[in-house]
Amino acid sequence: MNKKRILFVDDEQHVLDALRRMLHGMRGQWEMQFATSGNAALDILQASPQDVIVADMRMPGMDGVTLLDEVRTRHPGVIRLILSGHSDTNTALKSVRHAHQFLLKPCKAEELMAAIARATTFQDIFSNEAVRTVVARIETLPSLPRTYLELMRELRREEPSLRVIGELVNQDVGMSANILKLVNSAFFGLRTHVSSPVHAVNLLGTEIIKALIISLHLFSRFNMDRFPGFSLELLWKHSLTTGLFAKTIAQIEGRRPPEIDDCFISGLLHDVGKLLLAANFEESYQEVLARSRAERRTVHDMEREAFAASHAEIGAYLLGLWGLPENVVMAIFGHHTPPSAPTPGFSTLLAVHAANSLEHELVVLNADYAPHPMDTAFLQTAAMDHRIEVWRKACARRLTEELHLE
Ligand SMILES: [Fe+2]
Ligand SMILES: [Fe+2]
């Protein structure tokens, strides 16, 4: 395996020395270089190709955001990470456009290593030519919701407090109202009235709350009036039900809670790329939908024809950028094009792929579009095809329970 080339940039030599010591153990896998200014970093990049650049936000002369912007133009294939201090929340939110991921200071060795490793795993997505072209054309890539960022800060503490997390959600009035409305709907089947965000966090856990914040944020940014051919409500329902189905499948397969959560989260977020494409390429996306209806071909295929990339890759790109877990991002990335040689057995991707098809099959919300068929060859190679019937029955049952409650 080729060593990954990582370039660290910080104006303070002692920070770089500390990084060098801290990451000493990674020498076998990484070839590391260190630069004390933006210009020095650009010289290194000019002289030798790098896979990842990790830059400090605050530097005299060329700051981190300017540097990464320069890197984006000159060396678009390099994965860009930014390190930001506590006082820079606003700049951090803005830097999303320039960096693939940002890390909060102080950053522990394991955290930094995990982020770099995750970024290199996503290199296929981040450096995919077609995806990059589409993303470069998106003028306003949504920024992370502020509440989410604050929540991540709390979660990084030694002992994060669920109460503080609930209060953070509570401070965002619109968000907290929407979360309460949702968790109290029949959909979650909680059979108890959830009266406060603190209560919701306690019942559902922080990972689910984080995913709800992201999806509500992305859906609320979308301007429906400008898009007559697109039903936000149907997409929202489809996303929720796909999340519910993926969770149901994971439960039936006896998976453990973190993986069950990942399945729900991936199902909930699997189609957010559609929002990005529709909001940013109105006319072409209208055409994609119209042609999909007229020619009875899937939206995914039509997107590939129009943009050379689909909502699956674009959504995965954004969520990878926002630091979502690897298997969630990979499940979203491949939900229409699962790998031809998967490792046998259950995976989040498999659950989401099956859940998405079952949703199209069992809930005929929009018969106008050609539904995406289940990839039986993929399920066969994963040796899970014999389970489809069990999942179909269980999902159908969940659906009637849900409707019954409503
Ligand atoms: Fe999809
Ligand atoms: Fe879908």
Side-chain angles (χ1 to χ4, degrees):
M1 196 181 75
N2 279 343
K3 276 192 189 178
K4 293 282 176 197
R5 283 150 307 184
I6 327 273
L7 170 61
F8 296 90
V9 197
D10 199 301
D11 56 307
E12 290 172 73
Q13 185 64 47
H14 73 95
V15 174
L16 292 177
D17 291 341
L19 278 171
R20 204 192 298 262
R21 275 194 307 274
M22 202 162 98
L23 302 171
H24 192 72
M26 296 304 291
R27 280 167 313 149
Q29 294 160 52
W30 295 347
E31 212 175 287
M32 293 175 266
Q33 295 206 61
F34 300 84
T36 48
S37 72
N39 281 321
L42 289 173
D43 287 345
I44 292 177
L45 281 162
Q46 192 62 36
S48 59
Q50 300 289 318
D51 293 300
V52 180
I53 178 168
V54 184
D56 185 28
M57 175 101 79
R58 287 199 182 186
M59 291 189 287
M62 192 188 295
D63 67 10
V65 173
T66 317
L67 168 63
L68 293 192
D69 208 25
E70 205 51 44
V71 174
R72 186 166 66 115
T73 326
R74 294 197 208 173
H75 311 278
V78 179
I79 306 294
R80 308 175 298 270
L81 270 68
I82 202 153
L83 271 160
S84 96
H86 269 257
S87 51
D88 298 326
T89 306
N90 283 327
T91 335
L93 287 169
K94 274 188 222 129
S95 76
V96 160
R97 175 112 188 89
H98 311 276
H100 287 112
Q101 223 165 88
F102 63 81
L103 297 157
L104 300 165
K105 276 199 212 170
C107 195
K108 288 184 202 128
E110 313 85 69
E111 217 175 313
L112 184 58
M113 287 191 283
I116 294 173
R118 193 167 51 214
T120 54
T121 324
F122 296 156
Q123 203 163 19
D124 286 350
I125 306 177
F126 287 154
S127 54
N128 177 301
E129 188 72 38
V131 177
R132 235 168 44 204
T133 312
V134 175
V135 173
R137 283 170 60 206
I138 295 182
E139 261 161 38
T140 45
L141 202 61
S143 57
L144 262 173
R146 175 183 281 272
T147 314
Y148 184 85
L149 193 67
E150 284 166 359
L151 210 126
M152 288 196 334
R153 285 228 160 95
E154 177 60 26
L155 288 171
R156 289 172 73 245
R157 289 159 54 102
E158 288 292 319
E159 280 174 50
S161 144
L162 290 185
R163 188 185 50 81
V164 173
I165 289 165
E167 274 161 11
L168 283 172
V169 178
N170 208 11
Q171 276 161 23
D172 186 337
V173 180
M175 182 65 75
S176 101
N178 281 326
I179 287 191
L180 289 181
K181 200 169 126 197
L182 183 63
V183 297
N184 279 312
S185 70
F187 179 80
F188 274 91
L190 289 174
R191 293 168 222 280
T192 164
H193 184 74
V194 182
S195 51
S196 69
V198 181
H199 192 186
V201 173
N202 271 304
L203 276 172
L204 300 172
T206 45
E207 290 308 308
I208 300 283
I209 295 292
K210 270 162 67 183
L212 290 178
I213 291 177
I214 286 188
S215 58
L216 286 164
H217 174 74
L218 288 174
F219 273 85
S220 70
R221 283 179 82 257
F222 193 80
N223 187 347
M224 273 282 281
D225 307 338
R226 285 167 49 208
F227 222 96
F230 189 76
S231 169
L232 200 59
E233 205 196 324
L234 288 187
L235 184 62
W236 176 243
K237 278 196 174 153
H238 165 68
S239 305
L240 272 175
T241 310
T242 304
L244 180 74
F245 282 4
K247 179 182 165 177
T248 306
I249 293 172
Q251 281 168 332
I252 291 177
E253 295 307 316
R255 311 314 293 184
R256 304 194 54 80
E259 206 177 359
I260 296 176
D261 281 357
D262 278 357
C263 286
F264 173 74
I265 293 165
S266 310
L268 179 70
L269 298 170
H270 79 287
D271 276 342
V272 293
K274 285 187 180 174
L275 293 172
L276 289 178
L277 289 173
N280 289 282
F281 308 103
E282 251 171 84
E283 252 173 60
S284 344
Y285 209 72
Q286 296 270 23
E287 212 179 289
V288 161
L289 296 180
R291 282 188 57 202
S292 160
R293 272 191 297 259
E295 297 173 25
R296 297 289 302 157
R297 290 173 58 201
T298 67
V299 172
H300 174 260
D301 288 350
M302 293 290 130
E303 289 169 347
R304 279 270 175 100
E305 275 186 27
F307 305 104
S310 80
H311 67 273
E313 293 102 47
I314 304 295
Y317 183 99
L318 181 76
L319 299 169
L321 205 86
W322 286 1
L324 267 90
E326 188 188 327
N327 59 333
V328 169
V329 174
M330 292 325 258
I332 292 168
F333 184 74
H335 78 271
H336 289 292
T337 46
S340 47
T343 33
F346 184 88
S347 66
T348 307
L349 167 62
L350 189 132
V352 174
H353 175 73
N356 180 54
S357 306
L358 286 173
E359 200 280 347
H360 284 299
E361 180 192 309
L362 298 169
V363 188
V364 191
L365 287 173
N366 203 338
D368 282 355
Y369 297 109
H372 209 100
M374 191 137 19
D375 187 337
T376 36
F378 161 58
L379 282 140
Q380 263 161 20
T381 337
M384 295 298 280
D385 54 317
H386 62 291
R387 304 291 292 157
I388 300 175
E389 209 33 55
V390 181
W391 301 339
R392 182 176 281 120
K393 282 206 182 95
C395 289
R397 210 176 317 117
R398 281 305 302 257
L399 208 58
T400 41
E401 276 167 17
E402 196 193 322
L403 292 176
H404 180 70
L405 281 164
E406 231 153 13

